[in-house]
Amino acid sequence: MHLISKFKVFIIFISIFIITSSCGNGPLFSGQGKPLKLTSSSGSSSSSSTVEEIPENQGNNDDQLEKENSSADSSEQTDNPTDKKSQIDHIIPDATPEELESLKSCLANFKDSPFEETITNFKKIKASINIGGSGTAINDTTHTDEPELILIAAAINVGSKVTYNLLNPNGYYCMMLNTNIKSKLTINLDCRAQVADSALSIQIKSSGNEAPSVLGVNVKSDVQVNDIRPEGSKCVR
């Protein structure tokens, strides 16, 4: 019973304190408008309560820290050059509308694309279609000083055994259409170059040795990619 009585006294004290405080600048605020903290202690024969002032700038410091963290996150998102370039709406004067759509898909897949909005260093490789053929189907050995966007219009192999030489170290190869049916395709790719496909990758009972080998549509085919590593070159893979 003694403990219950002490608890009732404490509750009455709290009620009086809240009522009197509300006549000032609001509940649990001092006359200067500083936030207060209510603490209590109890002993064997008495109980007491005290009111402490919370440091005036504690709330402001928390708000400031939250704003700084938010600003840092925003800065990281907007200052990433890779993200900015992936959002560029590229203009390629020498490309047809259909080609442009495919090229934009490839550009979005290239790692660290160096291309700005308007791309003039662009060339096309004509379609290569092989049915029961063999040998070198595509042979791009030109080296350019600047990055070059290269569109392979179509590469279709049926029952064939062919090789693509994609050897421009500054080449960014975009396959508009790549289809292999019961074929063996070997791609010799300069280790500094990149290759991408503008369409979905579909593999049916096919095999390959590296990520670029799953480009396009392959049905019962074997696609092998060989990284060509000239001596002293800085490879991207």
Side-chain angles (χ1 to χ4, degrees), residues 130-195:
N130 296 281
I131 299 177
S134 63
T136 300
I138 297 175
N139 191 37
D140 183 40
T141 58
T142 303
H143 289 203
T144 58
D145 294 330
E146 300 294 331
E148 183 175 44
L149 182 60
I150 303 167
L151 176 68
I152 300 174
I156 301 173
N157 303 300
V158 180
S160 300
K161 184 178 180 180
V162 296
T163 299
Y164 299 164
N165 292 321
L166 310 180
L167 301 178
N168 183 352
N170 285 311
Y172 286 76
Y173 294 92
C174 175
M175 290 190 172
M176 190 170 176
L177 175 63
N178 181 44
T179 302
N180 300 286
I181 300 174
K182 293 185 178 181
S183 296
K184 179 176 176 57
L185 170 63
T186 300
I187 300 176
N188 295 322
L189 180 67
D190 190 291
C191 66
R192 295 159 291 182
Q194 293 193 45
V195 61

Short mmCIF file of all heavy atoms in Angstrom, two decimals, residues 130-195:
data_model
loop_
_atom_site.label_atom_id
_atom_site.label_comp_id
_atom_site.label_asym_id
_atom_site.label_seq_id
_atom_site.Cartn_x
_atom_site.Cartn_y
_atom_site.Cartn_z
N ASN A 130 25.39 -16.48 -94.04
CA ASN A 130 26.06 -17.70 -94.46
C ASN A 130 25.16 -18.91 -94.25
O ASN A 130 24.66 -19.12 -93.14
CB ASN A 130 27.35 -17.90 -93.66
CG ASN A 130 28.36 -16.80 -93.92
OD1 ASN A 130 29.04 -16.80 -94.94
ND2 ASN A 130 28.45 -15.83 -93.02
N ILE A 131 24.96 -19.68 -95.28
CA ILE A 131 24.20 -20.92 -95.17
C ILE A 131 25.11 -22.05 -95.65
O ILE A 131 25.45 -22.15 -96.83
CB ILE A 131 22.92 -20.86 -96.03
CG1 ILE A 131 22.02 -19.70 -95.54
CG2 ILE A 131 22.16 -22.18 -95.96
CD1 ILE A 131 20.78 -19.50 -96.35
N GLY A 132 25.55 -22.86 -94.69
CA GLY A 132 26.46 -23.95 -95.03
C GLY A 132 27.83 -23.46 -95.44
O GLY A 132 28.57 -24.16 -96.13
N GLY A 133 28.20 -22.26 -95.00
CA GLY A 133 29.48 -21.69 -95.41
C GLY A 133 30.53 -21.82 -94.32
O GLY A 133 30.29 -22.30 -93.22
N SER A 134 31.75 -21.35 -94.66
CA SER A 134 32.85 -21.36 -93.71
C SER A 134 33.82 -20.25 -94.07
O SER A 134 33.75 -19.66 -95.15
CB SER A 134 33.57 -22.72 -93.72
OG SER A 134 34.14 -22.96 -94.99
N GLY A 135 34.73 -19.94 -93.10
CA GLY A 135 35.72 -18.92 -93.37
C GLY A 135 35.46 -17.65 -92.55
O GLY A 135 34.67 -17.65 -91.60
N THR A 136 36.12 -16.57 -92.94
CA THR A 136 35.99 -15.29 -92.25
C THR A 136 34.83 -14.50 -92.84
O THR A 136 34.87 -14.10 -94.01
CB THR A 136 37.29 -14.47 -92.37
OG1 THR A 136 38.36 -15.22 -91.78
CG2 THR A 136 37.15 -13.13 -91.65
N ALA A 137 33.81 -14.28 -92.03
CA ALA A 137 32.62 -13.59 -92.53
C ALA A 137 32.71 -12.08 -92.33
O ALA A 137 32.21 -11.30 -93.14
CB ALA A 137 31.38 -14.13 -91.82
N ILE A 138 33.33 -11.65 -91.22
CA ILE A 138 33.51 -10.22 -90.94
C ILE A 138 34.96 -10.01 -90.55
O ILE A 138 35.49 -10.71 -89.68
CB ILE A 138 32.58 -9.74 -89.81
CG1 ILE A 138 31.11 -9.91 -90.21
CG2 ILE A 138 32.88 -8.29 -89.44
CD1 ILE A 138 30.12 -9.56 -89.10
N ASN A 139 35.60 -9.03 -91.19
CA ASN A 139 37.01 -8.80 -90.93
C ASN A 139 37.27 -7.30 -90.78
O ASN A 139 37.58 -6.60 -91.75
CB ASN A 139 37.86 -9.37 -92.08
CG ASN A 139 39.34 -9.39 -91.75
OD1 ASN A 139 39.72 -9.64 -90.60
ND2 ASN A 139 40.19 -9.13 -92.74
N ASP A 140 37.09 -6.80 -89.57
CA ASP A 140 37.32 -5.38 -89.30
C ASP A 140 38.66 -5.23 -88.57
O ASP A 140 38.76 -5.47 -87.37
CB ASP A 140 36.19 -4.79 -88.45
CG ASP A 140 36.37 -3.29 -88.22
OD1 ASP A 140 36.78 -2.60 -89.18
OD2 ASP A 140 36.12 -2.83 -87.10
N THR A 141 39.68 -4.82 -89.30
CA THR A 141 41.04 -4.70 -88.73
C THR A 141 41.52 -3.26 -88.67
O THR A 141 42.67 -3.00 -88.31
CB THR A 141 42.03 -5.53 -89.56
OG1 THR A 141 42.00 -5.07 -90.92
CG2 THR A 141 41.66 -7.01 -89.52
N THR A 142 40.65 -2.31 -89.02
CA THR A 142 41.03 -0.89 -89.00
C THR A 142 41.16 -0.39 -87.57
O THR A 142 40.26 -0.62 -86.75
CB THR A 142 40.00 -0.04 -89.76
OG1 THR A 142 39.88 -0.53 -91.09
CG2 THR A 142 40.40 1.42 -89.77
N HIS A 143 42.26 0.30 -87.29
CA HIS A 143 42.47 0.90 -85.97
C HIS A 143 42.19 2.40 -86.06
O HIS A 143 42.74 3.08 -86.95
CB HIS A 143 43.90 0.67 -85.47
CG HIS A 143 44.19 -0.74 -85.10
ND1 HIS A 143 45.21 -1.09 -84.24
CD2 HIS A 143 43.60 -1.91 -85.47
CE1 HIS A 143 45.22 -2.41 -84.09
NE2 HIS A 143 44.26 -2.92 -84.83
N THR A 144 41.35 2.90 -85.19
CA THR A 144 41.07 4.34 -85.16
C THR A 144 41.66 4.96 -83.90
O THR A 144 41.81 4.29 -82.87
CB THR A 144 39.56 4.60 -85.20
OG1 THR A 144 38.94 3.94 -84.09
CG2 THR A 144 38.94 4.09 -86.49
N ASP A 145 42.01 6.24 -84.00
CA ASP A 145 42.59 6.93 -82.84
C ASP A 145 41.54 7.28 -81.79
O ASP A 145 41.85 7.36 -80.60
CB ASP A 145 43.31 8.22 -83.29
CG ASP A 145 44.52 7.92 -84.16
OD1 ASP A 145 45.13 6.85 -83.98
OD2 ASP A 145 44.84 8.75 -85.04
N GLU A 146 40.31 7.49 -82.25
CA GLU A 146 39.21 7.86 -81.35
C GLU A 146 38.20 6.72 -81.29
O GLU A 146 38.14 5.88 -82.18
CB GLU A 146 38.53 9.15 -81.84
CG GLU A 146 39.45 10.35 -81.91
CD GLU A 146 39.94 10.80 -80.54
OE1 GLU A 146 39.20 10.58 -79.55
OE2 GLU A 146 41.05 11.34 -80.46
N PRO A 147 37.38 6.69 -80.24
CA PRO A 147 36.32 5.67 -80.18
C PRO A 147 35.42 5.73 -81.41
O PRO A 147 35.03 6.81 -81.86
CB PRO A 147 35.55 6.04 -78.91
CG PRO A 147 36.55 6.76 -78.06
CD PRO A 147 37.40 7.54 -79.03
N GLU A 148 35.10 4.58 -81.94
CA GLU A 148 34.26 4.50 -83.14
C GLU A 148 33.09 3.57 -82.86
O GLU A 148 33.27 2.45 -82.36
CB GLU A 148 35.06 3.99 -84.33
CG GLU A 148 34.25 3.96 -85.62
CD GLU A 148 35.09 3.57 -86.83
OE1 GLU A 148 35.89 2.61 -86.71
OE2 GLU A 148 34.96 4.22 -87.88
N LEU A 149 31.90 4.04 -83.20
CA LEU A 149 30.69 3.23 -83.06
C LEU A 149 30.49 2.47 -84.36
O LEU A 149 30.41 3.08 -85.44
CB LEU A 149 29.49 4.12 -82.75
CG LEU A 149 28.16 3.43 -82.53
CD1 LEU A 149 28.22 2.46 -81.35
CD2 LEU A 149 27.06 4.48 -82.28
N ILE A 150 30.42 1.14 -84.27
CA ILE A 150 30.38 0.30 -85.46
C ILE A 150 29.13 -0.57 -85.42
O ILE A 150 28.94 -1.37 -84.49
CB ILE A 150 31.64 -0.59 -85.54
CG1 ILE A 150 32.90 0.28 -85.52
CG2 ILE A 150 31.61 -1.46 -86.79
CD1 ILE A 150 34.18 -0.49 -85.27
N LEU A 151 28.29 -0.41 -86.44
CA LEU A 151 27.05 -1.17 -86.52
C LEU A 151 27.23 -2.36 -87.46
O LEU A 151 27.60 -2.19 -88.63
CB LEU A 151 25.90 -0.29 -87.02
CG LEU A 151 24.57 -1.00 -87.23
CD1 LEU A 151 23.97 -1.45 -85.91
CD2 LEU A 151 23.58 -0.11 -87.98
N ILE A 152 27.00 -3.56 -86.94
CA ILE A 152 26.97 -4.76 -87.77
C ILE A 152 25.51 -5.01 -88.09
O ILE A 152 24.73 -5.43 -87.23
CB ILE A 152 27.60 -5.96 -87.05
CG1 ILE A 152 29.07 -5.64 -86.71
CG2 ILE A 152 27.52 -7.22 -87.90
CD1 ILE A 152 29.76 -6.69 -85.87
N ALA A 153 25.12 -4.73 -89.34
CA ALA A 153 23.71 -4.71 -89.71
C ALA A 153 23.02 -6.04 -89.45
O ALA A 153 21.95 -6.09 -88.85
CB ALA A 153 23.57 -4.31 -91.17
N ALA A 154 23.65 -7.13 -89.89
CA ALA A 154 23.07 -8.45 -89.65
C ALA A 154 24.16 -9.49 -89.80
O ALA A 154 25.02 -9.40 -90.67
CB ALA A 154 21.94 -8.73 -90.63
N ALA A 155 24.11 -10.48 -88.92
CA ALA A 155 25.04 -11.60 -88.98
C ALA A 155 24.23 -12.87 -88.78
O ALA A 155 23.79 -13.16 -87.66
CB ALA A 155 26.12 -11.46 -87.93
N ILE A 156 23.99 -13.59 -89.86
CA ILE A 156 23.13 -14.78 -89.81
C ILE A 156 23.92 -15.97 -90.34
O ILE A 156 24.46 -15.94 -91.45
CB ILE A 156 21.85 -14.56 -90.66
CG1 ILE A 156 21.07 -13.35 -90.12
CG2 ILE A 156 20.98 -15.81 -90.66
CD1 ILE A 156 19.90 -12.96 -90.99
N ASN A 157 23.97 -17.02 -89.53
CA ASN A 157 24.70 -18.22 -89.91
C ASN A 157 23.82 -19.45 -89.70
O ASN A 157 23.29 -19.66 -88.60
CB ASN A 157 25.98 -18.35 -89.08
CG ASN A 157 26.87 -17.13 -89.21
OD1 ASN A 157 27.31 -16.81 -90.30
ND2 ASN A 157 27.13 -16.44 -88.10
N VAL A 158 23.67 -20.25 -90.74
CA VAL A 158 22.89 -21.48 -90.66
C VAL A 158 23.77 -22.63 -91.15
O VAL A 158 24.23 -22.64 -92.30
CB VAL A 158 21.61 -21.39 -91.53
CG1 VAL A 158 20.82 -22.69 -91.43
CG2 VAL A 158 20.76 -20.20 -91.10
N GLY A 159 24.03 -23.58 -90.25
CA GLY A 159 24.86 -24.72 -90.62
C GLY A 159 26.24 -24.29 -91.09
O GLY A 159 26.80 -24.90 -92.01
N SER A 160 26.80 -23.27 -90.47
CA SER A 160 28.06 -22.70 -90.94
C SER A 160 29.14 -22.74 -89.86
O SER A 160 28.85 -22.93 -88.67
CB SER A 160 27.85 -21.26 -91.40
OG SER A 160 26.90 -21.20 -92.46
N LYS A 161 30.36 -22.51 -90.30
CA LYS A 161 31.50 -22.42 -89.39
C LYS A 161 32.29 -21.19 -89.81
O LYS A 161 33.07 -21.23 -90.77
CB LYS A 161 32.37 -23.68 -89.48
CG LYS A 161 33.51 -23.70 -88.50
CD LYS A 161 34.29 -25.01 -88.61
CE LYS A 161 35.45 -25.04 -87.62
NZ LYS A 161 36.22 -26.32 -87.73
N VAL A 162 32.04 -20.09 -89.08
CA VAL A 162 32.59 -18.80 -89.54
C VAL A 162 33.31 -18.07 -88.41
O VAL A 162 33.16 -18.41 -87.22
CB VAL A 162 31.48 -17.90 -90.12
CG1 VAL A 162 30.86 -18.52 -91.35
CG2 VAL A 162 30.42 -17.62 -89.06
N THR A 163 34.08 -17.05 -88.82
CA THR A 163 34.86 -16.25 -87.88
C THR A 163 34.57 -14.77 -88.11
O THR A 163 34.47 -14.32 -89.26
CB THR A 163 36.37 -16.50 -88.07
OG1 THR A 163 36.65 -17.88 -87.83
CG2 THR A 163 37.19 -15.64 -87.13
N TYR A 164 34.42 -14.03 -86.98
CA TYR A 164 34.34 -12.57 -87.04
C TYR A 164 35.60 -12.00 -86.40
O TYR A 164 35.92 -12.33 -85.26
CB TYR A 164 33.14 -12.02 -86.25
CG TYR A 164 31.78 -12.48 -86.71
CD1 TYR A 164 30.67 -12.31 -85.87
CD2 TYR A 164 31.57 -13.06 -87.95
CE1 TYR A 164 29.41 -12.72 -86.27
CE2 TYR A 164 30.32 -13.47 -88.35
CZ TYR A 164 29.23 -13.30 -87.50
OH TYR A 164 27.99 -13.71 -87.90
N ASN A 165 36.32 -11.15 -87.14
CA ASN A 165 37.47 -10.44 -86.58
C ASN A 165 37.05 -9.00 -86.27
O ASN A 165 36.86 -8.19 -87.19
CB ASN A 165 38.64 -10.45 -87.57
CG ASN A 165 39.22 -11.84 -87.77
OD1 ASN A 165 39.34 -12.61 -86.82
ND2 ASN A 165 39.57 -12.17 -89.01
N LEU A 166 36.89 -8.70 -85.00
CA LEU A 166 36.49 -7.35 -84.55
C LEU A 166 37.69 -6.78 -83.80
O LEU A 166 37.78 -6.89 -82.58
CB LEU A 166 35.24 -7.44 -83.66
CG LEU A 166 34.07 -8.26 -84.23
CD1 LEU A 166 32.91 -8.27 -83.25
CD2 LEU A 166 33.63 -7.75 -85.60
N LEU A 167 38.59 -6.16 -84.54
CA LEU A 167 39.92 -5.89 -84.00
C LEU A 167 40.28 -4.41 -83.87
O LEU A 167 41.45 -4.08 -83.68
CB LEU A 167 40.98 -6.60 -84.89
CG LEU A 167 40.81 -8.13 -84.97
CD1 LEU A 167 41.85 -8.73 -85.91
CD2 LEU A 167 40.89 -8.76 -83.59
N ASN A 168 39.29 -3.54 -83.96
CA ASN A 168 39.57 -2.12 -83.69
C ASN A 168 39.63 -1.92 -82.18
O ASN A 168 38.62 -2.10 -81.49
CB ASN A 168 38.48 -1.24 -84.30
CG ASN A 168 38.77 0.25 -84.12
OD1 ASN A 168 39.71 0.64 -83.42
ND2 ASN A 168 37.96 1.09 -84.75
N PRO A 169 40.79 -1.55 -81.62
CA PRO A 169 40.88 -1.42 -80.16
C PRO A 169 39.97 -0.33 -79.60
O PRO A 169 39.61 -0.36 -78.42
CB PRO A 169 42.35 -1.08 -79.93
CG PRO A 169 42.82 -0.52 -81.24
CD PRO A 169 42.06 -1.24 -82.29
N ASN A 170 39.59 0.62 -80.45
CA ASN A 170 38.66 1.67 -80.04
C ASN A 170 37.26 1.44 -80.60
O ASN A 170 36.47 2.37 -80.72
CB ASN A 170 39.18 3.05 -80.49
CG ASN A 170 40.31 3.54 -79.62
OD1 ASN A 170 40.22 3.51 -78.40
ND2 ASN A 170 41.40 3.98 -80.25
N GLY A 171 36.99 0.19 -80.96
CA GLY A 171 35.71 -0.13 -81.56
C GLY A 171 34.64 -0.46 -80.53
O GLY A 171 34.89 -1.19 -79.56
N TYR A 172 33.47 0.11 -80.75
CA TYR A 172 32.28 -0.22 -79.95
C TYR A 172 31.30 -0.85 -80.93
O TYR A 172 30.60 -0.16 -81.66
CB TYR A 172 31.71 1.03 -79.28
CG TYR A 172 32.55 1.49 -78.11
CD1 TYR A 172 33.75 2.16 -78.32
CD2 TYR A 172 32.18 1.23 -76.80
CE1 TYR A 172 34.55 2.57 -77.25
CE2 TYR A 172 32.96 1.63 -75.72
CZ TYR A 172 34.14 2.30 -75.96
OH TYR A 172 34.92 2.68 -74.89
N TYR A 173 31.29 -2.18 -80.97
CA TYR A 173 30.55 -2.94 -81.96
C TYR A 173 29.11 -3.18 -81.49
O TYR A 173 28.89 -3.67 -80.38
CB TYR A 173 31.24 -4.27 -82.24
CG TYR A 173 32.60 -4.13 -82.89
CD1 TYR A 173 33.76 -4.08 -82.12
CD2 TYR A 173 32.72 -4.07 -84.28
CE1 TYR A 173 35.01 -3.96 -82.72
CE2 TYR A 173 33.97 -3.95 -84.89
CZ TYR A 173 35.11 -3.89 -84.09
OH TYR A 173 36.35 -3.78 -84.70
N CYS A 174 28.18 -2.86 -82.38
CA CYS A 174 26.75 -3.07 -82.08
C CYS A 174 26.17 -4.02 -83.11
O CYS A 174 26.16 -3.72 -84.31
CB CYS A 174 26.01 -1.73 -82.11
SG CYS A 174 24.22 -1.89 -81.89
N MET A 175 25.69 -5.17 -82.65
CA MET A 175 25.08 -6.14 -83.54
C MET A 175 23.58 -5.89 -83.60
O MET A 175 22.87 -6.07 -82.61
CB MET A 175 25.38 -7.57 -83.07
CG MET A 175 26.83 -7.97 -83.25
SD MET A 175 27.10 -9.72 -82.96
CE MET A 175 28.82 -9.88 -83.48
N MET A 176 23.12 -5.49 -84.76
CA MET A 176 21.71 -5.20 -84.94
C MET A 176 20.90 -6.49 -84.98
O MET A 176 19.79 -6.58 -84.46
CB MET A 176 21.51 -4.39 -86.22
CG MET A 176 20.13 -3.81 -86.40
SD MET A 176 20.14 -2.65 -87.78
CE MET A 176 18.40 -2.22 -87.85
N LEU A 177 21.48 -7.52 -85.61
CA LEU A 177 20.84 -8.84 -85.67
C LEU A 177 21.94 -9.88 -85.72
O LEU A 177 22.79 -9.87 -86.61
CB LEU A 177 19.94 -8.94 -86.90
CG LEU A 177 19.30 -10.32 -87.15
CD1 LEU A 177 18.37 -10.69 -86.01
CD2 LEU A 177 18.55 -10.33 -88.48
N ASN A 178 21.92 -10.80 -84.76
CA ASN A 178 22.91 -11.87 -84.73
C ASN A 178 22.19 -13.18 -84.47
O ASN A 178 21.65 -13.40 -83.38
CB ASN A 178 23.95 -11.61 -83.64
CG ASN A 178 25.02 -12.69 -83.60
OD1 ASN A 178 25.51 -13.11 -84.63
ND2 ASN A 178 25.35 -13.14 -82.40
N THR A 179 22.16 -14.06 -85.48
CA THR A 179 21.44 -15.33 -85.37
C THR A 179 22.32 -16.47 -85.85
O THR A 179 22.91 -16.40 -86.94
CB THR A 179 20.14 -15.29 -86.20
OG1 THR A 179 19.33 -14.20 -85.76
CG2 THR A 179 19.37 -16.59 -86.07
N ASN A 180 22.42 -17.51 -85.04
CA ASN A 180 23.20 -18.69 -85.39
C ASN A 180 22.36 -19.94 -85.16
O ASN A 180 21.83 -20.14 -84.06
CB ASN A 180 24.46 -18.77 -84.54
CG ASN A 180 25.35 -17.55 -84.74
OD1 ASN A 180 26.00 -17.43 -85.76
ND2 ASN A 180 25.38 -16.66 -83.76
N ILE A 181 22.23 -20.74 -86.20
CA ILE A 181 21.47 -21.98 -86.11
C ILE A 181 22.36 -23.13 -86.56
O ILE A 181 22.85 -23.16 -87.70
CB ILE A 181 20.20 -21.92 -87.00
CG1 ILE A 181 19.30 -20.75 -86.54
CG2 ILE A 181 19.43 -23.23 -86.94
CD1 ILE A 181 18.11 -20.51 -87.44
N LYS A 182 22.60 -24.07 -85.63
CA LYS A 182 23.47 -25.22 -85.90
C LYS A 182 24.79 -24.76 -86.51
O LYS A 182 25.25 -25.32 -87.53
CB LYS A 182 22.76 -26.23 -86.81
CG LYS A 182 21.57 -26.92 -86.16
CD LYS A 182 20.98 -27.98 -87.07
CE LYS A 182 19.82 -28.70 -86.38
NZ LYS A 182 19.23 -29.76 -87.24
N SER A 183 25.37 -23.74 -85.89
CA SER A 183 26.60 -23.17 -86.43
C SER A 183 27.68 -23.07 -85.36
O SER A 183 27.39 -23.10 -84.16
CB SER A 183 26.33 -21.78 -87.02
OG SER A 183 25.45 -21.86 -88.12
N LYS A 184 28.91 -22.93 -85.81
CA LYS A 184 30.03 -22.64 -84.92
C LYS A 184 30.57 -21.27 -85.31
O LYS A 184 31.03 -21.06 -86.43
CB LYS A 184 31.13 -23.69 -85.04
CG LYS A 184 32.33 -23.40 -84.14
CD LYS A 184 33.36 -24.51 -84.21
CE LYS A 184 34.60 -24.18 -83.39
NZ LYS A 184 34.30 -23.89 -81.96
N LEU A 185 30.49 -20.34 -84.35
CA LEU A 185 30.94 -18.98 -84.58
C LEU A 185 32.10 -18.66 -83.65
O LEU A 185 32.00 -18.84 -82.44
CB LEU A 185 29.79 -17.99 -84.35
CG LEU A 185 30.17 -16.50 -84.33
CD1 LEU A 185 30.70 -16.07 -85.70
CD2 LEU A 185 28.96 -15.65 -83.94
N THR A 186 33.17 -18.15 -84.23
CA THR A 186 34.32 -17.71 -83.45
C THR A 186 34.47 -16.20 -83.63
O THR A 186 34.57 -15.71 -84.77
CB THR A 186 35.62 -18.41 -83.90
OG1 THR A 186 35.48 -19.82 -83.74
CG2 THR A 186 36.80 -17.92 -83.08
N ILE A 187 34.47 -15.48 -82.51
CA ILE A 187 34.65 -14.03 -82.55
C ILE A 187 36.01 -13.70 -81.96
O ILE A 187 36.28 -13.97 -80.79
CB ILE A 187 33.54 -13.31 -81.75
CG1 ILE A 187 32.16 -13.64 -82.31
CG2 ILE A 187 33.78 -11.80 -81.76
CD1 ILE A 187 31.02 -13.05 -81.51
N ASN A 188 36.88 -13.12 -82.79
CA ASN A 188 38.17 -12.62 -82.31
C ASN A 188 37.99 -11.14 -82.01
O ASN A 188 37.85 -10.32 -82.92
CB ASN A 188 39.26 -12.84 -83.37
CG ASN A 188 39.53 -14.32 -83.62
OD1 ASN A 188 39.52 -15.12 -82.69
ND2 ASN A 188 39.75 -14.69 -84.88
N LEU A 189 37.98 -10.81 -80.72
CA LEU A 189 37.66 -9.45 -80.27
C LEU A 189 38.87 -8.83 -79.57
O LEU A 189 39.40 -9.41 -78.62
CB LEU A 189 36.47 -9.49 -79.31
CG LEU A 189 35.99 -8.18 -78.72
CD1 LEU A 189 35.39 -7.28 -79.81
CD2 LEU A 189 34.94 -8.43 -77.63
N ASP A 190 39.30 -7.67 -80.08
CA ASP A 190 40.38 -6.96 -79.41
C ASP A 190 39.99 -6.73 -77.95
O ASP A 190 38.86 -6.32 -77.66
CB ASP A 190 40.66 -5.62 -80.11
CG ASP A 190 41.92 -4.95 -79.59
OD1 ASP A 190 41.92 -4.50 -78.42
OD2 ASP A 190 42.91 -4.88 -80.34
N CYS A 191 40.91 -6.99 -77.04
CA CYS A 191 40.58 -6.94 -75.61
C CYS A 191 40.24 -5.54 -75.12
O CYS A 191 39.75 -5.37 -74.01
CB CYS A 191 41.73 -7.52 -74.78
SG CYS A 191 43.24 -6.54 -74.85
N ARG A 192 40.49 -4.53 -75.96
CA ARG A 192 40.15 -3.15 -75.58
C ARG A 192 38.81 -2.73 -76.18
O ARG A 192 38.29 -1.66 -75.85
CB ARG A 192 41.26 -2.20 -76.03
CG ARG A 192 42.60 -2.42 -75.33
CD ARG A 192 43.76 -1.84 -76.11
NE ARG A 192 43.98 -2.61 -77.35
CZ ARG A 192 44.97 -2.35 -78.22
NH1 ARG A 192 45.80 -1.34 -77.99
NH2 ARG A 192 45.12 -3.09 -79.30
N ALA A 193 38.28 -3.54 -77.08
CA ALA A 193 37.02 -3.21 -77.74
C ALA A 193 35.84 -3.74 -76.92
O ALA A 193 36.00 -4.54 -76.00
CB ALA A 193 37.00 -3.82 -79.14
N GLN A 194 34.65 -3.29 -77.31
CA GLN A 194 33.43 -3.79 -76.68
C GLN A 194 32.41 -4.16 -77.74
O GLN A 194 32.40 -3.61 -78.84
CB GLN A 194 32.83 -2.71 -75.75
CG GLN A 194 33.69 -2.38 -74.54
CD GLN A 194 32.94 -1.56 -73.52
OE1 GLN A 194 31.79 -1.84 -73.18
NE2 GLN A 194 33.60 -0.55 -72.99
N VAL A 195 31.56 -5.12 -77.39
CA VAL A 195 30.52 -5.56 -78.31
C VAL A 195 29.22 -5.72 -77.53
O VAL A 195 29.22 -6.16 -76.38
CB VAL A 195 30.92 -6.88 -79.02
CG1 VAL A 195 31.13 -7.99 -78.01
CG2 VAL A 195 29.89 -7.27 -80.06
#
